[in-house]
């Protein structure tokens, strides 16, 4: 991705800031959506010109979850079957899923990842920053691995990234991103807004 200099805005040019509440594919809790819209309105009042954007509506979950299973298995292969290893049930389950991914399948998944990254690099040719909610729902109960639904849409509670696809996309891309507190729900749970730049665009 280079040093990021190519992604730095030219001197004197305002930042090209886009926003998306759902990346075109993610379910969003109504309170998160309302809080995000309120944060955008506050930013507009403060002078930040952000406009609606349509980033690549591609979820990384179909290719990255099985790839992660291979990587987790590689890291813990010597202890994944040991119930005394101290690994969480979720980690053991993810590593165990590696048995369904062979070499040719891994190569196919890696090709999908390259296409995903290329689509985002092309999108960032026209934008400097993307604003999104940091997560798609407020905090849930302690001890729960993940929700089974967001805004009445089913979500796999065991899937990495299933309930935080906006920050998961940044992770997959290796893109610079920051989460900034932006308010609270009616119950007092914190909300946050994420600002993400292009891969290599740290400057």
């Amino acid at each position: 991705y280079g040093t990021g200099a190519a992604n730095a805005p030219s001197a004197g040019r305002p930042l090209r800031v886009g926003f998306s509440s759902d990346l075109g594919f993610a379910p969003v809790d109504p309170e998160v959506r309302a809080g995000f819209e309120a944060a955008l309105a506050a930013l507009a009042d403060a002078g930040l010109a952000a406009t609606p954007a349509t980033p690549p509506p591609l979820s990384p979950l179909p290719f990255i979850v099985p790839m992660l299973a291979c990587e987790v298995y590689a890291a813990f292969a010597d202890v994944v079957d040991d119930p005394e290893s101290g690994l969480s049930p979720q980690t053991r389950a993810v590593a165990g899923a590696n048995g369904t991914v062979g070499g040719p399948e891994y190569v196919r998944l890696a090709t999908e990842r390259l296409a995903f990254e290329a689509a985002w690099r092309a999108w960032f040719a026209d934008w400097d920053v993307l604003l999104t909610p940091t997560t798609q729902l407020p905090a849930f109960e302690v001890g729960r691995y993940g929700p089974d639904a967001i805004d009445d849409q089913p979500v796999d509670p065991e899937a990495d990234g299933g309930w935080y696809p906006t920050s998961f996309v940044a992770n997959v891309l290796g893109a610079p991103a920051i989460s900034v507190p932006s308010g609270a729900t009616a119950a007092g749970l914190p909300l946050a807004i994420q600002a993400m730049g292009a891969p290599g665009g740290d400057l």
Side-chain angles (χ1 to χ4, degrees), residues 20-21 28-29 31-40 43 130-139 163-164 166-167 177-185 188-196:
S20 173
S21 63
V28 182
D29 179 270
E31 278 199 286
V32 169
R33 189 182 295 275
F36 181 63
E37 292 172 353
L40 291 173
L43 288 171
L130 176 64
L131 301 178
T132 66
T134 300
T135 62
Q136 309 314 110
L137 80 167
W163 54 270
Y164 53 100
T166 50
S167 53
I178 187 169
S179 176
V180 182
S182 62
T185 67
L189 296 172
L191 297 172
I193 191 170
Q194 176 182 263
M196 179 173 68

Side-chain angles (χ1 to χ4, degrees), residues 10-23:
S10 302
R13 175 174 68 73
L15 286 173
R16 301 167 299 178
V17 182
F19 66 84
S20 173
S21 63
D22 59 9
L23 297 181

